[in-house]
Amino acid sequence: METVVSGIRPTGNLHLGNYFGAVKSFLQMQNEYNCYFFIADWHSLTTSPKPENIIKSAHTILAEYLACGIDPEKATIYIQSDVKEVLELYLYLNMNAYLGEMERCTTFKEKARKQPDNVNAGLLTYPTLMAADILIHKGVKVPVGKDQEQNMEMARKFARRFNMIYGKEFFPEPASFSLAAQAVKIPGLDGSGKMGKSEGNCIYLMDDAETIRKKVMKAVTDSGPTEPNSPKPEAIQNLFTFLDIVSTKDTYSYFDEKWNDCSIRYGDLKKQIAADIVAFNAPIRERITEYSSNTDLLNKIAKRGAEKAHESANKTIREIREIIGFRS
Ligand code: TRP
């Protein structure tokens, strides 16, 4: 069975964009692949040396993953910092990563620009840590967003380079499994673009009914169609995308007809979308609350995940030590 690896930085709550992007793919992949889904808490140190309550942030993602249906019996779910073998591989990969190529990475340059007072070596070597995350399990498929493409190219480069230097086909080259190509793109509610944390236009799985209503009612619209059967401008198409994912087909057709004969009332459309998002979120939200209140269970699941990840990671490290020539 092929190995899938994917990490997420614990930077808050999951939103609908995460759900219909990464999480839904994970739900499918866990049935078909040997999956490792981990929470990249070490990576968060690259941007802030003193993250507030790092365990709680990791537990938030863990509880939300579980509530969405990621199953620890099927996939290995763990917290990166629990699996220390990753660091050893990070070190080996760093020995063969060159300053010039690391400095040229656009993500590094961007982050360096954003935090000029903290251009640390961890930031520079973010791609080697990410490569270590993947290669430690000899991952071959990595579901990631488009923004991670350069990091993935680096991971492939480091894998090839390791194989070259030690003259052994040891690491398989990890392929990106593009989430964008797979998933429905969830728009923001601000008229254009996608739902994203940095865009500040998210509906979170944990949002309550009132919050969801407020956010949806504020969504950008226009003055309405002036001619029957006209194409929908982006902001309106975005609302229909929401209908498409959270409402029934009948509801979609109902509003589509109203659009086409120019009798649509955006207020009604938004109320419907809000109600259907609330209904969609409700059971997930309930489960998140349950898991979040059960720290013992979360700790147990994280511990079991770490054990399974450790087993796979330790095997890789033992092989590498032998390849490089350390005492095994
Ligand atoms: N860099 C990824 C992001 O910001 C998170 C990540 C860290 C990751 N390690 C990984 C993703 C390994 C896939 C595989 O989204």
Side-chain angles (χ1 to χ4, degrees):
M1 219 196 299
E2 283 185 313
T3 297
V4 167
V5 182
S6 195
I8 182 169
R9 276 173 298 123
T11 55
N13 295 87
L14 297 181
H15 52 73
L16 286 177
N18 298 130
Y19 183 85
F20 287 100
V23 175
K24 258 193 114 172
S25 304
F26 292 176
L27 293 177
Q28 206 182 333
M29 291 184 130
Q30 67 181 353
N31 296 315
E32 296 162 19
Y33 299 99
N34 178 27
C35 291
Y36 294 90
F37 300 132
F38 70 94
I39 299 162
D41 54 352
W42 274 327
H43 274 106
S44 20
L45 298 179
T46 61
T47 48
S48 57
K50 268 179 74 179
E52 211 184 299
N53 209 338
I54 196 155
I55 297 172
K56 186 157 168 273
S57 308
H59 276 185
T60 299
I61 302 281
L62 183 59
E64 296 193 342
Y65 267 6
L66 296 168
C68 289
I70 297 181
D71 182 349
E73 296 297 319
K74 295 177 179 169
T76 301
I77 313 168
Y78 65 99
I79 300 171
Q80 185 187 35
S81 63
D82 283 341
V83 182
K84 297 180 185 59
E85 288 85 354
V86 172
L87 292 181
E88 188 168 338
L89 181 52
Y90 174 54
L91 179 138
Y92 298 140
L93 296 178
N94 273 334
M95 297 300 171
N96 302 318
Y98 306 115
L99 183 59
E101 64 186 349
M102 304 306 281
E103 278 177 329
R104 277 194 300 276
C105 289
T106 39
T107 35
F108 170 69
K109 286 194 277 193
E110 253 168 52
K111 285 189 181 160
R113 192 154 35 76
K114 270 197 211 146
Q115 50 183 69
D117 299 330
N118 183 20
V119 185
N120 61 73
L123 203 57
L124 183 73
T125 56
Y126 187 112
T128 43
L129 183 53
M130 179 160 159
D133 290 328
I134 299 164
L135 299 177
I136 197 75
H137 303 299
K138 298 191 183 166
V140 293
K141 272 201 169 65
V142 184
V144 279
K146 227 176 154 201
D147 59 324
Q148 296 299 309
E149 207 27 65
Q150 194 173 34
N151 285 336
M152 286 305 301
E153 269 165 36
M154 297 303 281
R156 287 189 277 275
K157 190 189 273 191
F158 297 138
R160 279 196 301 271
R161 191 173 291 160
F162 184 97
N163 294 348
M164 264 277 284
I165 291 174
Y166 299 102
K168 202 169 156 71
E169 275 306 301
F170 183 66
F171 289 125
E173 264 186 55
S176 318
F177 178 84
S178 169
L179 289 172
Q182 275 277 310
V184 213
K185 190 181 103 187
I186 302 301
L189 290 166
D190 38 9
S192 68
K194 64 164 193 168
M195 187 176 285
K197 209 175 152 61
S198 47
E199 283 79 12
N201 58 8
C202 297
I203 295 178
Y204 293 95
L205 296 175
M206 265 314 275
D207 279 348
D208 60 28
E210 200 36 46
T211 308
I212 292 172
R213 260 180 226 120
K214 275 195 193 134
K215 287 181 179 175
V216 174
M217 295 317 283
K218 272 203 302 207
V220 172
T221 50
D222 57 16
S223 52
T226 48
E227 269 180 58
N229 302 311
S230 42
K232 300 182 183 92
E234 189 177 3
I236 307 305
Q237 181 52 52
N238 285 348
L239 291 177
F240 275 84
T241 300
F242 277 102
L243 269 189
D244 193 30
I245 53 170
V246 293
S247 307
T248 63
K249 282 205 167 56
D250 287 349
T251 307
Y252 187 95
S253 312
Y254 172 84
F255 284 100
D256 201 38
E257 275 164 34
K258 296 250 166 210
W259 165 265
N260 283 328
D261 68 14
C262 302
S263 66
I264 194 159
R265 286 171 29 182
Y266 291 142
D268 294 346
L269 171 63
K270 288 178 178 177
K271 268 187 214 146
Q272 180 76 47
I273 293 172
D276 291 340
I277 293 178
V278 171
F280 174 83
N281 275 10
I284 301 180
R285 188 163 181 262
E286 207 171 290
R287 287 194 296 269
I288 296 175
T289 312
E290 255 168 56
Y291 278 115
S292 303
S293 64
N294 195 342
T295 312
D296 283 350
L297 179 62
L298 291 179
N299 277 326
K300 225 173 99 190
I301 291 173
K303 185 160 176 266
R304 179 74 194 112
E307 281 163 7
K308 285 202 280 175
H310 162 77
E311 228 172 89
S312 145
N314 191 253
K315 180 166 180 289
T316 307
I317 287 297
R318 280 205 315 264
E319 292 167 343
I320 294 175
R321 284 184 156 248
E322 198 172 310
I323 288 171
I324 300 180
F326 291 109
R327 218 170 343 127
S328 50

Short mmCIF file of all heavy atoms in Angstrom, two decimals, residues 107-163:
data_model
loop_
_atom_site.label_atom_id
_atom_site.label_comp_id
_atom_site.label_asym_id
_atom_site.label_seq_id
_atom_site.Cartn_x
_atom_site.Cartn_y
_atom_site.Cartn_z
N THR A 107 8.96 31.06 -0.47
CA THR A 107 8.31 31.10 0.85
C THR A 107 9.27 31.67 1.90
O THR A 107 8.86 32.43 2.77
CB THR A 107 7.85 29.70 1.31
OG1 THR A 107 8.78 28.75 0.84
CG2 THR A 107 6.48 29.38 0.79
N PHE A 108 10.56 31.31 1.77
CA PHE A 108 11.54 31.88 2.71
C PHE A 108 11.63 33.39 2.53
O PHE A 108 11.59 34.16 3.50
CB PHE A 108 12.91 31.23 2.52
CG PHE A 108 14.00 31.95 3.28
CD1 PHE A 108 14.03 31.90 4.67
CD2 PHE A 108 14.95 32.70 2.61
CE1 PHE A 108 15.01 32.58 5.37
CE2 PHE A 108 15.93 33.40 3.31
CZ PHE A 108 15.96 33.33 4.69
N LYS A 109 11.73 33.80 1.27
CA LYS A 109 11.89 35.24 1.01
C LYS A 109 10.68 36.03 1.53
O LYS A 109 10.83 37.08 2.13
CB LYS A 109 12.09 35.49 -0.49
CG LYS A 109 13.50 35.08 -0.93
CD LYS A 109 13.85 35.61 -2.31
CE LYS A 109 13.30 34.71 -3.39
NZ LYS A 109 13.85 34.98 -4.72
N GLU A 110 9.50 35.44 1.30
CA GLU A 110 8.27 36.11 1.77
C GLU A 110 8.26 36.24 3.28
O GLU A 110 7.95 37.29 3.83
CB GLU A 110 7.05 35.29 1.34
CG GLU A 110 6.26 35.93 0.22
CD GLU A 110 5.27 34.94 -0.35
OE1 GLU A 110 4.50 34.35 0.44
OE2 GLU A 110 5.28 34.74 -1.58
N LYS A 111 8.57 35.12 3.95
CA LYS A 111 8.51 35.15 5.41
C LYS A 111 9.60 36.05 5.98
O LYS A 111 9.38 36.74 6.97
CB LYS A 111 8.61 33.75 5.98
CG LYS A 111 7.30 32.99 5.79
CD LYS A 111 7.27 31.68 6.52
CE LYS A 111 5.93 30.98 6.25
NZ LYS A 111 5.99 29.55 6.52
N ALA A 112 10.75 36.05 5.33
CA ALA A 112 11.84 36.92 5.79
C ALA A 112 11.41 38.38 5.67
O ALA A 112 11.73 39.20 6.53
CB ALA A 112 13.09 36.67 4.96
N ARG A 113 10.65 38.66 4.64
CA ARG A 113 10.17 40.04 4.46
C ARG A 113 9.13 40.39 5.54
O ARG A 113 9.11 41.49 6.06
CB ARG A 113 9.57 40.18 3.05
CG ARG A 113 9.29 41.58 2.61
CD ARG A 113 9.32 41.76 1.08
NE ARG A 113 8.81 40.61 0.34
CZ ARG A 113 7.52 40.30 0.21
NH1 ARG A 113 6.60 41.05 0.77
NH2 ARG A 113 7.15 39.25 -0.48
N LYS A 114 8.32 39.39 5.87
CA LYS A 114 7.27 39.64 6.87
C LYS A 114 7.82 39.76 8.28
O LYS A 114 7.23 40.42 9.12
CB LYS A 114 6.25 38.48 6.85
CG LYS A 114 5.11 38.72 5.90
CD LYS A 114 3.95 37.78 6.23
CE LYS A 114 3.17 37.44 4.97
NZ LYS A 114 2.64 36.08 4.99
N GLN A 115 8.92 39.06 8.57
CA GLN A 115 9.47 39.13 9.93
C GLN A 115 10.97 39.43 9.89
O GLN A 115 11.79 38.60 10.28
CB GLN A 115 9.17 37.82 10.69
CG GLN A 115 9.53 36.53 9.96
CD GLN A 115 9.13 35.27 10.72
OE1 GLN A 115 7.96 34.99 10.87
NE2 GLN A 115 10.12 34.51 11.21
N PRO A 116 11.30 40.65 9.46
CA PRO A 116 12.72 41.01 9.25
C PRO A 116 13.56 40.89 10.53
O PRO A 116 14.78 40.74 10.45
CB PRO A 116 12.66 42.46 8.76
CG PRO A 116 11.30 42.95 9.10
CD PRO A 116 10.40 41.77 9.13
N ASP A 117 12.92 40.94 11.68
CA ASP A 117 13.68 40.85 12.93
C ASP A 117 13.90 39.41 13.38
O ASP A 117 14.53 39.17 14.41
CB ASP A 117 12.94 41.60 14.05
CG ASP A 117 12.80 43.07 13.73
OD1 ASP A 117 13.67 43.60 13.02
OD2 ASP A 117 11.79 43.67 14.16
N ASN A 118 13.36 38.48 12.63
CA ASN A 118 13.48 37.08 13.06
C ASN A 118 13.71 36.17 11.85
O ASN A 118 12.96 35.23 11.61
CB ASN A 118 12.22 36.67 13.85
CG ASN A 118 12.33 35.25 14.37
OD1 ASN A 118 13.42 34.69 14.48
ND2 ASN A 118 11.19 34.64 14.70
N VAL A 119 14.72 36.47 11.08
CA VAL A 119 15.04 35.63 9.93
C VAL A 119 15.95 34.51 10.45
O VAL A 119 17.17 34.56 10.32
CB VAL A 119 15.71 36.44 8.81
CG1 VAL A 119 15.92 35.58 7.57
CG2 VAL A 119 14.84 37.64 8.45
N ASN A 120 15.34 33.52 11.07
CA ASN A 120 16.10 32.48 11.77
C ASN A 120 16.42 31.30 10.86
O ASN A 120 15.84 31.15 9.77
CB ASN A 120 15.31 32.04 13.01
CG ASN A 120 13.95 31.47 12.66
OD1 ASN A 120 13.85 30.36 12.16
ND2 ASN A 120 12.88 32.23 12.91
N ALA A 121 17.33 30.44 11.32
CA ALA A 121 17.76 29.31 10.50
C ALA A 121 16.64 28.28 10.32
O ALA A 121 16.62 27.54 9.34
CB ALA A 121 18.99 28.65 11.13
N GLY A 122 15.71 28.25 11.28
CA GLY A 122 14.57 27.35 11.14
C GLY A 122 13.68 27.75 9.98
O GLY A 122 13.15 26.91 9.25
N LEU A 123 13.56 29.04 9.80
CA LEU A 123 12.79 29.56 8.68
C LEU A 123 13.47 29.18 7.36
O LEU A 123 12.84 28.74 6.41
CB LEU A 123 12.71 31.09 8.81
CG LEU A 123 11.58 31.82 8.13
CD1 LEU A 123 10.24 31.29 8.58
CD2 LEU A 123 11.69 33.31 8.44
N LEU A 124 14.79 29.33 7.37
CA LEU A 124 15.57 28.99 6.17
C LEU A 124 15.44 27.50 5.85
O LEU A 124 15.36 27.12 4.69
CB LEU A 124 17.05 29.35 6.41
CG LEU A 124 17.98 29.13 5.24
CD1 LEU A 124 17.75 30.18 4.16
CD2 LEU A 124 19.44 29.15 5.69
N THR A 125 15.42 26.67 6.89
CA THR A 125 15.42 25.23 6.67
C THR A 125 14.02 24.62 6.82
O THR A 125 13.89 23.41 6.98
CB THR A 125 16.38 24.53 7.65
OG1 THR A 125 16.00 24.89 8.99
CG2 THR A 125 17.82 24.94 7.42
N TYR A 126 13.02 25.46 6.74
CA TYR A 126 11.63 24.95 6.75
C TYR A 126 11.46 23.82 5.72
O TYR A 126 10.90 22.77 6.03
CB TYR A 126 10.68 26.12 6.47
CG TYR A 126 9.20 25.83 6.60
CD1 TYR A 126 8.44 26.40 7.62
CD2 TYR A 126 8.54 24.99 5.69
CE1 TYR A 126 7.08 26.15 7.74
CE2 TYR A 126 7.18 24.73 5.81
CZ TYR A 126 6.46 25.32 6.83
OH TYR A 126 5.11 25.05 6.95
N PRO A 127 11.98 23.98 4.50
CA PRO A 127 11.80 22.90 3.51
C PRO A 127 12.51 21.59 3.88
O PRO A 127 12.02 20.52 3.51
CB PRO A 127 12.40 23.48 2.22
CG PRO A 127 12.37 24.96 2.42
CD PRO A 127 12.60 25.17 3.87
N THR A 128 13.63 21.65 4.59
CA THR A 128 14.26 20.37 4.97
C THR A 128 13.47 19.68 6.07
O THR A 128 13.36 18.45 6.08
CB THR A 128 15.74 20.52 5.42
OG1 THR A 128 15.87 21.63 6.28
CG2 THR A 128 16.67 20.65 4.25
N LEU A 129 12.89 20.46 6.99
CA LEU A 129 12.05 19.85 8.02
C LEU A 129 10.82 19.21 7.38
O LEU A 129 10.44 18.09 7.71
CB LEU A 129 11.64 20.89 9.08
CG LEU A 129 10.81 20.36 10.27
CD1 LEU A 129 11.48 19.17 10.96
CD2 LEU A 129 10.54 21.47 11.30
N MET A 130 10.25 19.91 6.43
CA MET A 130 9.09 19.36 5.74
C MET A 130 9.46 18.10 4.95
O MET A 130 8.72 17.11 4.94
CB MET A 130 8.47 20.42 4.83
CG MET A 130 7.27 19.94 4.07
SD MET A 130 6.25 21.33 3.49
CE MET A 130 5.36 20.51 2.16
N ALA A 131 10.62 18.13 4.32
CA ALA A 131 11.08 16.95 3.59
C ALA A 131 11.29 15.78 4.56
O ALA A 131 10.95 14.64 4.27
CB ALA A 131 12.36 17.26 2.82
N ALA A 132 11.84 16.09 5.74
CA ALA A 132 12.06 15.04 6.75
C ALA A 132 10.73 14.44 7.18
O ALA A 132 10.61 13.22 7.34
CB ALA A 132 12.81 15.61 7.95
N ASP A 133 9.71 15.29 7.36
CA ASP A 133 8.37 14.80 7.72
C ASP A 133 7.88 13.74 6.74
O ASP A 133 7.26 12.75 7.13
CB ASP A 133 7.34 15.95 7.63
CG ASP A 133 7.52 17.01 8.71
OD1 ASP A 133 7.96 16.65 9.81
OD2 ASP A 133 7.21 18.18 8.42
N ILE A 134 8.15 14.00 5.48
CA ILE A 134 7.63 13.12 4.42
C ILE A 134 8.52 11.90 4.26
O ILE A 134 8.05 10.76 4.22
CB ILE A 134 7.57 13.89 3.08
CG1 ILE A 134 6.63 15.10 3.20
CG2 ILE A 134 7.15 12.97 1.94
CD1 ILE A 134 6.79 16.12 2.08
N LEU A 135 9.83 12.14 4.18
CA LEU A 135 10.76 11.05 3.85
C LEU A 135 10.93 10.08 5.02
O LEU A 135 11.28 8.92 4.80
CB LEU A 135 12.10 11.63 3.41
CG LEU A 135 12.03 12.51 2.15
CD1 LEU A 135 13.40 13.10 1.83
CD2 LEU A 135 11.48 11.74 0.94
N ILE A 136 10.66 10.55 6.23
CA ILE A 136 10.81 9.67 7.40
C ILE A 136 9.89 8.43 7.26
O ILE A 136 10.20 7.37 7.77
CB ILE A 136 10.54 10.43 8.73
CG1 ILE A 136 11.08 9.67 9.94
CG2 ILE A 136 9.05 10.70 8.94
CD1 ILE A 136 12.55 9.74 10.10
N HIS A 137 8.77 8.60 6.56
CA HIS A 137 7.87 7.46 6.32
C HIS A 137 7.98 6.95 4.88
O HIS A 137 7.15 6.16 4.44
CB HIS A 137 6.42 7.85 6.61
CG HIS A 137 6.19 8.37 7.99
ND1 HIS A 137 6.43 7.61 9.11
CD2 HIS A 137 5.74 9.58 8.45
CE1 HIS A 137 6.13 8.34 10.20
NE2 HIS A 137 5.73 9.52 9.82
N LYS A 138 8.96 7.45 4.16
CA LYS A 138 9.08 7.16 2.73
C LYS A 138 7.76 7.41 2.00
O LYS A 138 7.28 6.59 1.20
CB LYS A 138 9.56 5.71 2.51
CG LYS A 138 10.94 5.47 3.11
CD LYS A 138 11.51 4.14 2.66
CE LYS A 138 12.85 3.87 3.31
NZ LYS A 138 13.29 2.49 3.17
N GLY A 139 7.18 8.56 2.32
CA GLY A 139 5.91 8.94 1.70
C GLY A 139 6.05 9.13 0.20
O GLY A 139 7.07 9.65 -0.27
N VAL A 140 5.06 8.70 -0.54
CA VAL A 140 5.11 8.88 -2.00
C VAL A 140 4.02 9.82 -2.50
O VAL A 140 4.09 10.34 -3.60
CB VAL A 140 4.99 7.54 -2.77
CG1 VAL A 140 6.22 6.70 -2.52
CG2 VAL A 140 3.74 6.78 -2.41
N LYS A 141 2.99 10.02 -1.68
CA LYS A 141 1.91 10.94 -2.07
C LYS A 141 1.70 11.93 -0.95
O LYS A 141 1.55 11.55 0.21
CB LYS A 141 0.61 10.16 -2.28
CG LYS A 141 0.40 9.61 -3.66
CD LYS A 141 -1.10 9.34 -3.88
CE LYS A 141 -1.42 9.05 -5.31
NZ LYS A 141 -0.80 7.81 -5.82
N VAL A 142 1.69 13.21 -1.32
CA VAL A 142 1.55 14.24 -0.31
C VAL A 142 0.42 15.21 -0.71
O VAL A 142 0.59 16.02 -1.62
CB VAL A 142 2.86 15.03 -0.14
CG1 VAL A 142 2.75 16.04 0.99
CG2 VAL A 142 4.03 14.07 0.14
N PRO A 143 -0.74 15.08 -0.07
CA PRO A 143 -1.81 16.01 -0.40
C PRO A 143 -1.52 17.39 0.18
O PRO A 143 -1.42 17.56 1.39
CB PRO A 143 -3.06 15.39 0.27
CG PRO A 143 -2.58 14.35 1.20
CD PRO A 143 -1.14 14.07 0.92
N VAL A 144 -1.32 18.36 -0.70
CA VAL A 144 -1.02 19.73 -0.27
C VAL A 144 -1.67 20.73 -1.22
O VAL A 144 -2.01 20.40 -2.35
CB VAL A 144 0.50 20.04 -0.27
CG1 VAL A 144 1.20 19.52 0.96
CG2 VAL A 144 1.17 19.53 -1.54
N GLY A 145 -1.79 21.92 -0.72
CA GLY A 145 -2.30 23.01 -1.56
C GLY A 145 -1.21 23.51 -2.50
O GLY A 145 -0.04 23.16 -2.38
N LYS A 146 -1.63 24.34 -3.42
CA LYS A 146 -0.73 24.86 -4.44
C LYS A 146 0.44 25.64 -3.84
O LYS A 146 1.55 25.62 -4.38
CB LYS A 146 -1.53 25.78 -5.37
CG LYS A 146 -1.24 25.48 -6.82
CD LYS A 146 -2.07 26.31 -7.74
CE LYS A 146 -1.26 26.42 -9.02
NZ LYS A 146 -1.53 27.45 -9.88
N ASP A 147 0.17 26.29 -2.73
CA ASP A 147 1.20 27.12 -2.09
C ASP A 147 2.39 26.30 -1.59
O ASP A 147 3.43 26.85 -1.24
CB ASP A 147 0.59 27.90 -0.92
CG ASP A 147 -0.04 26.98 0.13
OD1 ASP A 147 -0.61 25.95 -0.26
OD2 ASP A 147 0.08 27.28 1.32
N GLN A 148 2.24 24.97 -1.56
CA GLN A 148 3.31 24.12 -1.04
C GLN A 148 4.16 23.50 -2.15
O GLN A 148 5.03 22.67 -1.90
CB GLN A 148 2.72 22.99 -0.18
CG GLN A 148 2.01 23.50 1.07
CD GLN A 148 2.97 24.24 1.97
OE1 GLN A 148 4.04 23.75 2.31
NE2 GLN A 148 2.59 25.45 2.37
N GLU A 149 3.88 23.90 -3.40
CA GLU A 149 4.54 23.24 -4.53
C GLU A 149 6.06 23.37 -4.46
O GLU A 149 6.80 22.41 -4.70
CB GLU A 149 3.99 23.78 -5.85
CG GLU A 149 4.08 22.82 -6.99
CD GLU A 149 4.07 21.33 -6.60
OE1 GLU A 149 3.08 20.81 -6.05
OE2 GLU A 149 5.10 20.69 -6.83
N GLN A 150 6.53 24.55 -4.10
CA GLN A 150 7.99 24.72 -4.06
C GLN A 150 8.62 23.87 -2.95
O GLN A 150 9.67 23.25 -3.15
CB GLN A 150 8.36 26.19 -3.86
CG GLN A 150 9.83 26.42 -4.15
CD GLN A 150 10.19 27.89 -4.14
OE1 GLN A 150 9.63 28.68 -3.37
NE2 GLN A 150 11.12 28.26 -4.99
N ASN A 151 7.95 23.82 -1.80
CA ASN A 151 8.45 22.95 -0.73
C ASN A 151 8.49 21.49 -1.18
O ASN A 151 9.40 20.74 -0.82
CB ASN A 151 7.56 23.07 0.51
CG ASN A 151 7.78 24.37 1.28
OD1 ASN A 151 8.86 24.97 1.18
ND2 ASN A 151 6.78 24.80 2.02
N MET A 152 7.52 21.10 -1.99
CA MET A 152 7.50 19.73 -2.49
C MET A 152 8.64 19.48 -3.47
O MET A 152 9.25 18.42 -3.47
CB MET A 152 6.15 19.42 -3.15
CG MET A 152 5.01 19.23 -2.17
SD MET A 152 5.36 17.97 -0.94
CE MET A 152 5.64 16.53 -1.98
N GLU A 153 8.91 20.48 -4.30
CA GLU A 153 10.05 20.33 -5.22
C GLU A 153 11.35 20.17 -4.44
O GLU A 153 12.21 19.36 -4.81
CB GLU A 153 10.14 21.55 -6.14
CG GLU A 153 9.36 21.37 -7.42
CD GLU A 153 9.16 22.68 -8.16
OE1 GLU A 153 10.08 23.51 -8.13
OE2 GLU A 153 8.08 22.85 -8.74
N MET A 154 11.47 20.92 -3.37
CA MET A 154 12.67 20.80 -2.53
C MET A 154 12.74 19.39 -1.93
O MET A 154 13.80 18.76 -1.90
CB MET A 154 12.64 21.83 -1.40
CG MET A 154 12.68 23.28 -1.85
SD MET A 154 14.09 23.70 -2.88
CE MET A 154 15.37 23.87 -1.66
N ALA A 155 11.61 18.88 -1.46
CA ALA A 155 11.59 17.54 -0.86
C ALA A 155 12.06 16.49 -1.87
O ALA A 155 12.84 15.59 -1.54
CB ALA A 155 10.18 17.21 -0.35
N ARG A 156 11.59 16.64 -3.10
CA ARG A 156 12.02 15.69 -4.14
C ARG A 156 13.52 15.83 -4.41
O ARG A 156 14.24 14.84 -4.56
CB ARG A 156 11.22 15.93 -5.43
CG ARG A 156 9.79 15.46 -5.34
CD ARG A 156 9.09 15.52 -6.69
NE ARG A 156 8.59 16.85 -7.00
CZ ARG A 156 7.40 17.30 -6.60
NH1 ARG A 156 6.60 16.53 -5.89
NH2 ARG A 156 6.99 18.51 -6.91
N LYS A 157 13.96 17.07 -4.42
CA LYS A 157 15.37 17.32 -4.67
C LYS A 157 16.24 16.69 -3.57
O LYS A 157 17.25 16.05 -3.84
CB LYS A 157 15.61 18.84 -4.73
CG LYS A 157 16.97 19.24 -5.23
CD LYS A 157 17.20 20.73 -5.04
CE LYS A 157 16.69 21.54 -6.22
NZ LYS A 157 17.14 22.95 -6.15
N PHE A 158 15.82 16.87 -2.32
CA PHE A 158 16.59 16.31 -1.21
C PHE A 158 16.58 14.78 -1.23
O PHE A 158 17.58 14.14 -0.89
CB PHE A 158 16.06 16.81 0.14
CG PHE A 158 16.18 18.30 0.32
CD1 PHE A 158 15.15 19.04 0.89
CD2 PHE A 158 17.34 18.98 -0.08
CE1 PHE A 158 15.26 20.42 1.06
CE2 PHE A 158 17.46 20.35 0.09
CZ PHE A 158 16.41 21.07 0.64
N ALA A 159 15.46 14.21 -1.64
CA ALA A 159 15.37 12.75 -1.74
C ALA A 159 16.34 12.24 -2.79
O ALA A 159 17.14 11.33 -2.55
CB ALA A 159 13.94 12.33 -2.08
N ARG A 160 16.31 12.88 -3.96
CA ARG A 160 17.21 12.47 -5.06
C ARG A 160 18.67 12.65 -4.65
O ARG A 160 19.52 11.79 -4.92
CB ARG A 160 16.95 13.34 -6.30
CG ARG A 160 15.77 12.91 -7.13
CD ARG A 160 15.83 13.57 -8.51
NE ARG A 160 15.82 15.02 -8.46
CZ ARG A 160 14.71 15.76 -8.45
NH1 ARG A 160 13.53 15.19 -8.51
NH2 ARG A 160 14.77 17.09 -8.39
N ARG A 161 18.92 13.77 -4.00
CA ARG A 161 20.32 14.08 -3.64
C ARG A 161 20.86 13.05 -2.64
O ARG A 161 21.99 12.59 -2.76
CB ARG A 161 20.38 15.49 -3.04
CG ARG A 161 21.80 15.99 -2.89
CD ARG A 161 21.81 17.44 -2.45
NE ARG A 161 21.33 18.35 -3.49
CZ ARG A 161 20.90 19.59 -3.24
NH1 ARG A 161 20.86 20.06 -2.00
NH2 ARG A 161 20.50 20.37 -4.23
N PHE A 162 20.04 12.70 -1.67
CA PHE A 162 20.45 11.70 -0.70
C PHE A 162 20.79 10.39 -1.42
O PHE A 162 21.84 9.78 -1.20
CB PHE A 162 19.33 11.46 0.34
CG PHE A 162 19.70 10.50 1.43
CD1 PHE A 162 20.17 10.98 2.66
CD2 PHE A 162 19.60 9.12 1.25
CE1 PHE A 162 20.52 10.09 3.68
CE2 PHE A 162 19.95 8.23 2.25
CZ PHE A 162 20.41 8.72 3.47
N ASN A 163 19.90 10.00 -2.32
CA ASN A 163 20.11 8.75 -3.07
C ASN A 163 21.40 8.80 -3.88
O ASN A 163 22.15 7.82 -3.95
CB ASN A 163 18.93 8.49 -4.01
CG ASN A 163 17.64 8.22 -3.25
OD1 ASN A 163 17.66 8.02 -2.03
ND2 ASN A 163 16.53 8.20 -3.97
#
